Amino acid sequence: MSDLNPAVDALVRRSNRLGSDPRNTNYAGGNTSAKGTETDPVTGEDVELLWVKGSGGDLGTLTPSGLAVLRLDRMRALVDVYPGIEREDEMVAAFDYCLHGKGGAAPSIDTAMHGLVDAAHVDHLHPDSGIAIATAADGHELTTTIFGDQVVWVPWRRPGFQLGLDIAEIKEKNPQARGCILGGHGITAWGDTSEEAEANSLWIIETAASYIAEHSRAEPFGPALEGYAALPEAERRAKAAALAPTVRGIASADRPMVGHVTDSEEVLDFLAHAEHPRLAALGTSCPDHFLRTKVKPLVLDLPASASIEDSIARLQELAVAYREDYQGYYDRNATPDSPAIRGKDPLIVLVPGVGMFSFGKDKQTARVAGEFYVNAINVMRGAEGLSSYAPIDEAEKFRIEYWALEEAKLQRMPAPKPLATRVALVTGAASGIGLATARKLAAEGAAVVIADLSLEKAQAAAAEIGSTDVAVGVQVDVSDAAAVQAAVDATVLAFGGVDLVVNNAGLSLSRSLLETTEADWDLQHDVMAKGSFLVAQAAAKAMIAQGMGGDIVYISSKNSIFAGPNNVAYGAAKADQAHQVRLLAAELGEHGIKVNGVNPDGVVQGSGIFASGWGANRAAVYGVEEQDLGKFYAQRTILKREVLPDNIANAVFVLCSAELSHTTGLHIPVDAGVAAAFLR
């Protein structure tokens, strides 16, 4: 496949334009195609090819490598061996025998639609306006009213080979048509050129949106509910932070999940009106929607003014009912050959006045699930505004959700990284040990919050690690209880909860007993002893509410054990931290929370402490040049190795990994061997 082929170039450009606008389609939703010719390297003759977006790809970010490439003659020849709708799933495997060259990406279930329709360019999209018509109770009639004979109605049919045959027949019998509305699902449009296909897609989307805007009833979701209006922003964010750990625990009863919070106008308005319980119970319709949001959400049936305590108690009751209801849904629809139930927990939790919590195997999946439910809300608004919302029925949803092809796709997913689904908060993480630790945890699959006294440095460090789906930076003064709580709140709002805390923030002033002032003593104890206590306390509260266990790791020091010169305040604060490990390990074990420590020594490289004057002071104490301090520390160790930030990060990872799942109250020395600091 050559990305210089004009058909491919036009297809990718069209796909990116369509996919970059959420009004046209959702993330990773829909597919586009083009037909054209290339030279067959075997025969030297021109061969007609079909390029179509591969399974799981996203139109907005599509590149040529994300296209499946098939021989059009072979793909269309499958019509002659099609065994009928009862066995249409077999045709997906047959696509592999139609691939050209290396074939590109894996062909999607919609490949037949693109190959069989007699048009050079085909778009299949999931626009909110189009799905609103597709899910309206009188969608067939509305399609004729809105589009005349330019768009043809297609009754609901599960995606597959038969749907491709149906749409090909519609295109043949309706030469004047620009496309069709797929009942309960989305739209398909076509054109002789890429420009014509794109124009037809946009015309259908915009015509539907304009009609809805002009003809919708004033309050599609019914009258406003007293007490259900959106709380003021600060108040709703505070309530969301207070509820988030409990909600995450509910969504993670079967398997751990990462969360996302959405308080957009669409969500808050939906929850503020009388019809939201009925509509939420009907569930979503478009397969892309409910595969990511489950068939329906859990909805808190209390007003925005309900207390935190009452809201938590009711959410826990509703969680039990939700799981029972989902089990019933599975039992009613499962057949002997259905895949096993995948989990009964909600992926979407709606809280009036506050917003929506969405969940997934990582932050991106959780965020996208929320985006999909916003799409579903927009669909409901459009359908209710013109008619009434009538999604596909439960049995059809089950056929999609527990489709053998969907199960096979899930089984092909790569194994998760060791810390996948875990949310880590690392203090003092903009440099040195903290930054190395944050990098390591993120590399092993964790979502990471970089907390530092400098917001600018924290955000820069987070951006270096990855997107906001991977890492975020927050400002915190760990000696301030309110600031610590705000950092924990920011963590649970960013990723749904917190599982792993690294107490790394620290500083040191190298002074003798007689030179150490009361202010010196207070500063070091406030940051390290008090700061670690405050962070552990606030994080443990969230961990206990989640009911998912957790890890708290203290970066203590060799000096918590070894009595060295001119560091009475630092050494005493580190000894305080070291004993906090033992005390908290004993106290928090009943909640499944492990508490362990790491005792580094001589970590000069990248250290904020050493750069701030501690290094110069220690070098003077030991009679060496400051730039040689790391080498000096290495030579006094048993292993004669310099200790680097990455060595500490590796120890933190091991303490939080499954391999040490039964270890708590432990201090790991990472000092290259200092006999005087051996643990006894």
Side-chain angles (χ1 to χ4, degrees):
M1 181 182 75
S2 169
D3 59 3
L4 298 178
N5 187 295
V8 174
D9 183 60
L11 171 60
V12 170
R13 291 174 182 274
R14 176 173 103 241
S15 302
N16 294 164
R17 287 192 297 269
L18 290 171
S20 63
D21 189 337
R23 291 173 297 182
N24 299 333
T25 201
N26 38 257
Y27 175 82
N31 29 72
T32 51
S33 68
K35 301 178 183 75
T37 59
E38 278 200 349
T39 302
D40 188 324
V42 175
T43 66
E45 298 178 354
D46 284 348
V47 59
E48 198 170 3
L49 301 178
L50 168 70
W51 292 273
V52 59
K53 190 204 82 169
S55 178
D58 173 53
L59 289 175
T61 56
L62 183 69
T63 63
S65 64
L67 296 169
V69 190
L70 298 91
R71 284 275 300 260
L72 190 60
D73 58 343
R74 292 180 64 82
M75 192 263 127
R76 287 180 168 172
L78 293 177
V79 172
D80 298 329
V81 296
Y82 176 48
I85 193 167
E86 295 302 318
R87 293 171 53 194
E88 70 170 340
D89 289 0
E90 298 173 19
M91 305 305 289
V92 175
F95 292 148
D96 289 343
Y97 294 92
C98 305
L99 297 176
H100 176 70
K102 294 183 179 180
S108 78
I109 188 66
D110 286 315
T111 298
M113 177 195 305
H114 292 273
L116 299 178
V117 169
D118 186 19
H121 299 267
V122 178
D123 297 332
H124 168 58
L125 304 171
H126 300 150
D128 294 347
S129 62
I131 305 175
I133 307 304
T135 57
D138 53 352
H140 189 176
E141 292 78 8
L142 281 170
T143 298
T144 301
T145 300
I146 298 169
F147 303 105
D149 65 355
Q150 297 293 293
V151 177
V152 181
W153 173 264
V154 181
W156 161 260
R157 187 185 293 283
R158 188 173 67 162
F161 202 85
Q162 186 61 53
L163 181 60
L165 288 170
D166 292 348
I167 296 177
E169 183 179 4
I170 284 170
K171 168 71 170 64
E172 181 181 0
K173 292 183 176 179
N174 297 273
Q176 80 291 345
R178 305 189 191 192
C180 52
I181 297 286
L182 282 59
H185 186 166
I187 73 167
T188 295
W190 46 74
D192 292 332
T193 65
S194 184
E195 293 77 12
E196 184 180 15
E198 183 175 2
N200 286 340
S201 292
L202 294 175
W203 179 79
I204 294 172
I205 294 166
E206 292 163 2
T207 300
S210 296
Y211 188 89
I212 292 169
E214 292 172 14
H215 296 86
S216 177
R217 63 176 62 97
E219 293 289 353
F221 295 146
L225 281 172
E226 186 175 354
Y228 281 70
L231 295 170
E233 182 177 5
E235 189 176 342
R236 71 173 178 263
R237 299 294 283 179
K239 190 171 184 179
L243 295 178
T246 296
V247 175
R248 185 182 181 218
I250 287 170
S252 301
D254 287 317
R255 60 181 62 88
M257 292 283 178
V258 177
H260 177 71
V261 180
T262 304
D263 60 352
S264 65
E265 183 179 349
E266 296 95 332
V267 173
L268 294 170
D269 178 70
F270 177 63
L271 295 174
H273 288 82
E275 296 301 320
H276 83 262
R278 174 182 66 84
L279 293 169
L282 288 173
T284 54
S285 186
C286 176
D288 262 24
H289 292 184
F290 62 75
L291 282 173
R292 291 167 173 83
T293 66
K294 262 198 169 121
V295 287
K296 59 184 176 182
L298 185 156
V299 184
L300 178 61
D301 52 1
L302 293 178
S305 57
S307 69
I308 300 295
E309 294 75 17
D310 288 348
S311 298
I312 287 174
R314 184 58 180 152
L315 282 166
Q316 290 171 335
E317 292 174 352
L318 290 168
V320 174
Y322 187 98
R323 289 175 62 84
E324 292 174 350
D325 182 72
Y326 189 85
Q327 183 69 60
Y329 156 77
Y330 181 86
D331 292 342
R332 285 190 300 275
N333 295 287
T335 62
D337 58 350
S338 292
I341 193 168
R342 297 195 193 101
K344 297 179 282 188
D345 303 323
L347 293 178
I348 302 292
V349 178
L350 301 173
V351 179
V354 174
M356 169 175 57
F357 298 86
S358 54
F359 295 91
K361 63 183 177 63
D362 51 36
K363 170 68 175 188
Q364 184 195 47
T365 306
R367 175 176 53 78
V368 169
E371 292 172 2
F372 273 77
Y373 201 79
V374 170
N375 290 136
I377 289 172
N378 292 335
V379 166
M380 294 176 196
R381 179 185 291 108
E384 287 284 308
L386 299 180
S387 172
S388 62
Y389 176 61
I392 62 175
D393 65 30
E394 176 186 281
E396 286 299 304
K397 290 178 184 178
F398 185 88
R399 289 182 69 218
I400 296 285
E401 185 177 1
Y402 285 91
W403 199 354
L405 295 177
E406 185 65 26
E407 181 70 12
K409 184 190 296 185
L410 294 173
Q411 295 302 322
R412 290 195 300 269
M413 298 290 287
K417 293 182 177 180
L419 298 183
T421 75
R422 304 203 73 190
V423 179
L425 169 63
V426 185
T427 65
S431 63
I433 292 171
L435 179 56
T437 300
R439 286 175 179 152
K440 176 65 175 178
L441 299 179
E444 299 294 345
V448 179
V449 174
I450 307 285
D452 200 86
L453 194 57
S454 166
L455 177 60
E456 182 180 0
K457 291 179 180 178
Q459 291 177 333
E464 176 193 325
I465 290 172
S467 73
T468 54
D469 286 338
V470 176
V472 297
V474 302
Q475 190 277 334
V476 67
D477 175 354
V478 296
S479 69
D480 182 328
V484 167
Q485 187 60 57
V488 173
D489 287 350
T491 301
V492 302
L493 289 174
F495 298 113
V498 61
D499 307 295
L500 197 168
V501 169
V502 182
N503 270 318
N504 172 71
L507 78 163
S508 183
L509 304 171
S510 177
R511 291 172 186 161
S512 69
L513 170 64
L514 298 183
E515 294 172 325
T516 300
T517 67
E518 183 178 353
D520 295 338
W521 178 273
D522 287 345
L523 177 60
Q524 293 190 85
H525 280 74
D526 280 351
V527 171
M528 292 182 290
K530 177 184 172 183
S532 294
F533 155 72
L534 291 174
V535 171
Q537 184 182 59
K541 181 181 177 182
M543 291 179 185
I544 291 168
Q546 287 173 163
M548 299 166 63
D551 280 280
I552 300 175
V553 180
Y554 282 65
I555 306 301
S556 185
S557 170
K558 170 214 66 174
N559 291 292
S560 66
I561 297 168
F562 172 75
N566 297 337
N567 70 343
V568 61
Y570 178 81
K574 285 298 181 182
D576 187 313
Q577 285 185 308
H579 199 47
Q580 283 186 41
V581 168
R582 293 182 279 269
L583 293 167
L584 298 187
E587 181 176 333
L588 298 176
E590 66 176 291
H591 302 291
I593 300 170
K594 297 155 51 209
V595 187
N596 293 291
V598 179
N599 288 351
D601 183 46
V603 185
V604 178
Q605 188 182 104
S607 169
I609 288 178
F610 278 91
S612 64
W614 170 262
N617 288 333
R618 301 317 289 170
V621 167
Y622 296 119
V624 300
E625 295 296 322
E626 185 177 359
Q627 66 267 24
D628 296 327
L629 190 58
K631 296 177 183 177
F632 169 80
Y633 281 140
Q635 290 308 307
R636 72 181 188 180
T637 68
I638 295 169
L639 297 175
K640 302 294 189 285
R641 297 173 185 168
E642 183 175 355
V643 180
L644 303 175
D646 286 345
N647 303 135
I648 316 305
N650 291 338
V652 173
F653 165 64
V654 170
L655 283 169
C656 301
S657 67
E659 282 75 7
L660 289 187
S661 62
H662 290 57
T663 298
T664 191
L666 173 69
H667 280 279
I668 297 181
V670 185
D671 55 13
V674 178
F678 282 175
L679 295 167
R680 294 176 178 84

